[in-house]
Amino acid sequence: MLLAGLLSGGLSIPPAIAFDFFGLFGGGDETPPPPNAETLPYSLDFTVVGADKTLVQNLKDASTLQRLTSDPPPDAESLVRRAEADLPRLNDALWGAGYYNARIAITVAGMPLSLPASRPEAAIRAATAYRARALVPVQVIVDPGPQFVLRNVAVLDARTGRPFMPDELPPRIVKIEPGDPARAADIVAAQARIVDHFRAQSRPFAKVTGQNPVVTHPAQVMDISLTLDPGPRAGIGDIAVRGAENVDPAVVRSFIYTEPGDPYSPAALASMRKSILSIEALSSVRIREGETLDAYGNLPLFVDITERQPRVIGASVQYSTTDGPAVRAYWAHRNLFGGAERLRLEGSLFYLTEDGGRPEEDDDDFDWDDLGGRFRASFLKPALWGTRNDFLADALVERDRTEGYTSRLVNGTAGIRHRFSETFSIQGGIEYEKGQASDILGQVDYTLVGLPLSVTYDSTDNTLDPTRGMKLLASVTPYPDFLGSSVPMTIARGTASAYWSIDEESRYVLAGRLGLGSIIGPDLEEIPANRRFFAGGGGSVRGFGYRSLSPTFLGEPIGGRSLLEASVEARIKVTDTIGIVPFVDAGTAFESSYPDFDESIRVSAGLGLRYYTAIGPIRLDVATPIRREQGDDRSFAIYVGIGQAF
């Protein structure tokens, strides 16, 4: 209703909150342009009496006058219509916040408007007089009044007309209860939670069939009753794949792990979509539900897919103070033969100058010995013959140059991966590598023929920013001499990480990671340097130099036969876009084949800053060793990247 008394000049207005949001919540600059002949700019005095910041923001977001201040209307009639449109919007926002006795007043050029506006002609004439002379004064005053509370809350079963029992509908799902603010937004959210609860119980047609809010103005309370029809239980029915023009639908079907008759749930559909999107040839997946159950009581599903452009090319240039400059280029085809086959060719060149990327003062000449490079070709054929088996092949030619060693190698691997589900897979194959590695311990010319076996489990909810679930990657590769290996050994490695969201909004997340590695068989000096374990750096123990934590010889790290790495992080969102991450890392490489806890395990601590974007968090970490030892070359280290550290 109108707040006419506030405009009469005879009523004292209590302290109010005025809007000045600097564009943080609107479309940018809200400063009106100067008076002109083409448009009718206006100045806005927007006042909310005695409200908190949350309500002020909600009202501002609902106000077209506030949002479009910098975009004036062409004439007075359009300005008045814009102001009139704010009356129901502001009223809805106030009701949504539980203020059912609110009063709203809007004047244009001193003329009050009402809802419905029966005669806005006076305001139009008054505003027209300001054209090209001055800004039209527009005043909005809102008195929210008291916030109503809930008195009675009932959720009724449409089948019986009786309230649901607690075991059918737990109070933690409804959440709203007597004494809570009577916010319409909270009631709508409760309806959504109740429907989601029953849909998760394999009832796809659950819906609210009635709502009866009764507002008692003198008592400032609301009684609310909701009626819900749970609908029948259903399983998942036939699944139709549509939109596949160049990709074989059988490939898409192989990434669907549900079978007809499996219980229906929104979580099952979300997992299905996530699994299908792992096919690189696809850009989007939409899953639509049928409108009726089939003869078996199952719900048909329709999977609509959109394909990506098949070819992609890219390049990058980078520089590291530890590794020197590098350039990289790649080309990939995502659907080589029409079965979502991926072929990727990638090449890179990098140059390592002496002393960790810093050229020697007495030698600025280019040295071919410090030039490294690698060329890799990888091929993936998913869904062999429509099954859940994928064929993978990889070929690599590399000359690697680090501060600790130089290596040259040719490597080829081929294997079969079987996907048990969207979270669990196992892979086995064969690997061949021939190379030469030299470091301070000497040179090793070697041939390796191995049988790699790996297991992968990933139940996390997000690749770049996981907040729930766990990841596990374990691999073991024996290189026996009877297959032709010149250095018979077995290399095993495992990494596990877990994520626990303390609150429902995932503003507080605890994350932990543990990595282990072991080489069984030969003595340390017989193992090629590029196959030994090192710790330290951004993906390992932050705060220490890259690959600097290991046994040493003459002061130089030479790598170890076992590895231990661990990290703990507390990921705290300060705002929706800014977060801080205190963390502790620990680890090192050991000379023995198993971690020797009698040796010194290096520990570092640090603080990270996260800026959350649509593609993932941008990460800035600063770390320092807890205790510095002789040979440590830095007091702290800085790391920048996209995605969480692990």
Side-chain angles (χ1 to χ4, degrees), residues 99-114:
Y99 296 92
Y100 297 95
N101 279 346
R103 295 182 294 171
I104 307 167
I106 299 180
T107 64
V108 175
M111 298 292 107
L113 302 177
S114 62

Side-chain angles (χ1 to χ4, degrees), residues 344-348 374-378 394-398 411:
R344 182 184 177 96
L345 307 177
E346 180 177 337
S348 60
R374 62 177 60 93
F375 176 79
R376 182 187 299 274
S378 60
D394 189 271
L396 172 67
V397 178
E398 177 184 80
N411 179 284

Side-chain angles (χ1 to χ4, degrees), residues 209-229:
T209 58
Q211 49 181 322
N212 184 29
V214 178
V215 176
T216 304
H217 288 267
Q220 300 172 7
V221 297
M222 172 191 284
D223 299 320
I224 179 69
S225 65
L226 303 174
T227 304
L228 181 128
D229 182 2

